[in-house]
Amino acid sequence: MALSKGDDYPIHQTSEPVAYAGTDRNFYDRYFFNGYAPDGGGFFAMAFGVYPHLDIADAHFSFIRGGTQYCLHASAELGMERMGMRVGPIRLEVIEPLHALKVTIEESDGIAGEFTFTGRAFPIEEPRFIHRIGPRAFMDYTRMTQNGHYEGWLSLDGEKHEMVDGTAGTRDRSWGVRPIGARDPQPIPGAPAPSFFWQWTPISFGDGSLFFHVNNDTHGKAWNTRAAWAPDGADARDLAEGHGSMRTRLLPETRWPAGGTLSLALKGAPEQVTFEPLDRFQMKGLGYTHPEWGHGMHHGPLRVAREDYDLASLDALAMDNLHVQTLVRATGSDGREGIGVFEQLILGPFAPLGLEGYGDGAD
């Protein structure tokens, strides 16, 4: 299966590339962006989701300033038009498929912005994510990921900030089946209590981009994982694939990463990369595990709302605060230095880190 220009538009019907079609109530099509200044400041992120069989689209924009995370949420009825690419004040444009995209946030509740993402290399296609709980497909989707550079500006309560030269980050596109909208009330007979372990580390180095992800079961066995290296300017034939393993540390009394060491067998990449945390971004600011603004929830014809978080005062073990992207400084064993994110979500028990239930954190 191969990516095509059509895969940069929200027109998919299955977890496979656009050449294939099908139907599922939980089908989704999503864009995601994050970015940061070269010194590690000014973290921002955006998510835009289309849920054709729920007839809903939603978009979220969120960024950090001075220990506070500012969020703008928007949800609208889709009207069966999947190519609208706009939810209230948040608009997305594909300028050049698989290479350049533009996000515009018209001023709403004091938040505004406009920025363009330009890819550094051809996006990688990750292994298809298929995970079942008993007989039911919990996940079945494809994702492509790409590092790049940003140009543009953000504004908070009338104060405009131009993005500095070297502002970088990651964008991804995923499509397929995930739990979205209202929870299914029909239980699965004999199904175990839900659990989930996820780590993702897209890193920007000076000469290329490193990608690693892993989904583990509760015993630490991977059911989906891969490492990839994309040299600057690479086309699809120049991308390198390999393997990695992560040794992770958690902050005490949390499930948030305190750093880690990634060992790699990957052409072009360092043999080891260590991660030093710089800042923490709460993924609920983009709707992930949000109790009110979860993806695909119905809020009427159109609803837009602002939400601010004092990051230092959040309950680290509350369910909606577990999912984070930690901005990190990355140092390779060969001396190369980079910057990127360490995304992590741990739900339920995870034996390798000594987590036994749902409300416990690290010692």
Side-chain angles (χ1 to χ4, degrees), residues 34-44 63-66 154 162-164 166-168 278-279 327-329 339:
N34 70 25
Y36 36 82
D39 64 358
F43 190 94
F44 64 93
F63 58 96
I64 298 172
R65 288 285 184 275
L154 307 177
E162 296 284 346
M163 294 183 182
V164 301
T167 296
L278 301 174
D279 211 345
L327 186 64
V328 293
R329 185 75 62 188
I339 190 170

Side-chain angles (χ1 to χ4, degrees), residues 3 7-8 31-36 94 96-101 117-126 143-150 168-174 200 202-204 208-211 226 228 230-236 239:
L3 298 173
D7 288 313
D8 229 354
Y31 297 79
F32 168 87
F33 300 84
N34 70 25
Y36 36 82
V94 178
E96 182 181 345
L98 306 180
H99 183 63
L101 300 93
F117 171 94
T118 303
R120 297 176 62 176
F122 194 82
I124 67 166
E125 179 183 350
E126 296 172 349
R143 188 172 80 157
M144 65 182 186
T145 305
Q146 182 178 39
N147 278 7
H149 298 290
Y150 287 95
T170 303
R171 71 99 174 197
D172 71 44
R173 285 276 294 109
S174 65
W200 180 47
I203 303 296
S204 296
S209 302
L210 172 65
F211 305 95
R226 194 191 49 184
D232 269 5
D235 63 21
L239 304 177

Side-chain angles (χ1 to χ4, degrees), residues 68-149:
T68 299
Q69 184 171 329
Y70 299 93
C71 315
L72 187 66
H73 306 289
S75 174
E77 293 175 353
L78 192 61
M80 299 182 68
E81 177 50 73
R82 298 177 63 181
M83 295 296 291
M85 307 289 281
R86 178 172 186 153
V87 181
I90 303 176
R91 183 171 74 252
L92 179 64
E93 302 171 66
V94 178
I95 298 173
E96 182 181 345
L98 306 180
H99 183 63
L101 300 93
K102 181 179 180 181
V103 173
T104 302
I105 304 102
E106 297 178 355
E107 196 284 327
S108 183
D109 290 333
I111 292 176
E114 183 177 274
F115 52 86
T116 299
F117 171 94
T118 303
R120 297 176 62 176
F122 194 82
I124 67 166
E125 179 183 350
E126 296 172 349
R128 184 171 170 183
F129 293 78
I130 302 178
H131 187 57
R132 297 182 183 275
I133 299 177
R136 189 177 304 174
F138 175 72
M139 288 182 167
D140 182 3
Y141 67 91
T142 289
R143 188 172 80 157
M144 65 182 186
T145 305
Q146 182 178 39
N147 278 7
H149 298 290

Side-chain angles (χ1 to χ4, degrees), residues 179-241:
I180 56 171
R183 180 174 296 181
D184 189 341
Q186 177 68 42
I188 302 172
S195 63
F196 192 72
F197 181 93
W198 164 252
Q199 291 178 331
W200 180 47
T201 58
I203 303 296
S204 296
F205 285 98
D207 58 344
S209 302
L210 172 65
F211 305 95
F212 169 77
H213 76 267
V214 63
N215 281 121
N216 286 329
D217 64 18
T218 59
H219 304 291
K221 181 180 179 181
W223 57 264
N224 191 304
T225 186
R226 194 191 49 184
W229 175 258
D232 269 5
D235 63 21
R237 295 168 297 179
D238 299 324
L239 304 177
E241 299 183 15

Side-chain angles (χ1 to χ4, degrees), residues 50-52 54-58 74-82 84 86-88 297-303:
V50 175
Y51 317 100
L54 302 183
D55 210 23
I56 291 169
D58 53 34
S75 174
E77 293 175 353
L78 192 61
M80 299 182 68
E81 177 50 73
R82 298 177 63 181
R86 178 172 186 153
V87 181
M297 299 301 292
H298 185 228
H299 294 274
L302 174 65
R303 184 183 171 204

Side-chain angles (χ1 to χ4, degrees), residues 17-30:
V18 73
Y20 306 96
T23 58
D24 190 289
R25 181 265 188 200
N26 280 346
F27 184 83
Y28 79 100
D29 219 326
R30 179 171 299 133

